[in-house]
Amino acid sequence: MMKFSKSRAAKFGALAAPLAAAALLVAGAAPAHKPAAKAPAAARKPAAATNWGTMVTITADGSHMLGNPKASTQVTEFVSYTCPHCAHFTKESDAPLRQTMVAKGQVALTITNLLRNPIDLTIAMLTTCGDPKRFVTRHNAFLATQDIWMAKLNTLGEDRQKRWYEGDIQARMRLIAADFDFYSMVAPWGVSHAQADQCINDKAAFAKLEQQQKTVQAVGANSTPSFVLDGKLLDAHDWAGLSQALTDKQAAQRKGSI
């Protein structure tokens, strides 16, 4: 893309003979000057590796895909926010899976909601509230504090809990958010009470969650966490099982190579 300029020819025709004679007089008096050796080109710095861990793609059903969409290994996790095994999986897998395999572009991890109750639904609506790049922060925070906010069930009577299952769905989600103090939880992320209510009332986001339930049914997932590896539903429901499946796949890919 660089452009080069043309040099202009000097008009020395009349001085050609005198200059030739002068050249004969000084010939041998001084060695001809050699062009200076070019300094070695600076070593090129290797391009920085892409940190795919910061990339979030929203799929057709509203799920969140973390990492390189074209990664050779594709994993889908079906999660319920009220599932203690899901919280345990996230704690165990976050460093080796999301922060390593996903960040390096080796694995793409798609997180899809498997809704078991209106509490799951309420949290799923709140985790989609705001910048998609901050989804993982919200997702991990709800799971990491699960034992704290789930403990509130012991303080809420049956009459109160019954209201979560009756009437307008958006009104029920707002009641759940208040009962579990989710409004205070999302505030540090810059989401006000009013903004949280707007997210809870988002009909388009609700429709995406309905689509995710169709995805759940299509793959046959019926427990949480469940995993699909490259289109196949695994008989594994924890990090140990998923990790083994990933290891087996890597071994198969290396088989026969030197």
Side-chain angles (χ1 to χ4, degrees), residues 15-31:
L15 298 176
L19 285 173
L24 290 174
L25 291 175
V26 298

Side-chain angles (χ1 to χ4, degrees), residues 97-210:
L97 179 58
R98 185 180 66 84
Q99 297 182 34
T100 304
M101 296 179 188
V102 172
K104 290 181 178 180
Q106 299 169 337
V107 175
L109 174 63
T110 299
I111 298 176
T112 299
N113 290 280
L114 193 163
L115 303 176
R116 305 189 307 167
N117 52 60
I119 305 172
D120 281 344
L121 173 61
T122 304
I123 297 174
M125 295 290 281
L126 291 174
T127 57
T128 63
C129 190
D131 187 350
K133 291 182 179 179
R134 299 281 292 164
F135 166 76
V136 175
T137 297
R138 299 186 289 266
H139 171 78
N140 284 5
F142 274 105
L143 289 171
T145 59
Q146 183 191 82
D147 58 336
I148 298 174
W149 51 262
M150 281 288 284
K152 296 181 185 296
L153 281 171
N154 298 324
T155 65
L156 297 168
E158 291 184 6
D159 290 343
R160 185 73 174 182
Q161 294 183 37
K162 187 178 179 181
R163 295 175 60 189
W164 303 342
Y165 296 87
E166 298 175 346
D168 176 73
I169 187 65
Q170 276 75 32
R172 288 156 51 192
M173 286 191 285
R174 291 193 297 271
L175 181 63
I176 290 170
D179 285 344
F180 285 94
D181 202 22
F182 290 156
Y183 291 112
S184 295
M185 190 167 177
V186 301
W189 304 327
V191 179
S192 68
H193 191 123
Q195 289 170 327
D197 280 345
Q198 288 178 352
C199 291
I200 288 173
N201 295 334
D202 188 339
K203 300 276 181 74
F206 184 83
K208 288 294 184 182
L209 285 170
E210 288 183 318

Side-chain angles (χ1 to χ4, degrees), residues 78-108:
F78 295 95
V79 62
S80 158
Y81 287 105
T82 54
C83 163
H85 301 293
C86 294
H88 185 67
F89 167 79
T90 299
K91 182 179 179 180
E92 274 196 317
S93 70
D94 196 57
L97 179 58
R98 185 180 66 84
Q99 297 182 34
T100 304
M101 296 179 188
V102 172
K104 290 181 178 180
Q106 299 169 337
V107 175

Side-chain angles (χ1 to χ4, degrees), residues 9-67:
K11 298 179 181 180
F12 289 147
L15 298 176
L19 285 173
L24 290 174
L25 291 175
V26 298
H33 291 289
K34 295 182 179 180
K38 292 183 179 179
R44 292 183 179 179
K45 295 181 179 179
T50 302
N51 179 9
W52 290 103
T54 61
M55 183 170 183
V56 180
T57 304
I58 307 299
T59 68
D61 67 0
S63 298
H64 291 77
M65 176 186 286
L66 316 180

Side-chain angles (χ1 to χ4, degrees), residues 221-238:
N222 55 19
S223 59
T224 54
S226 287
F227 310 101
V228 167
L229 173 60
D230 295 336
K232 180 182 178 181
L233 182 65
L234 299 179
D235 184 20
H237 303 282
D238 55 19

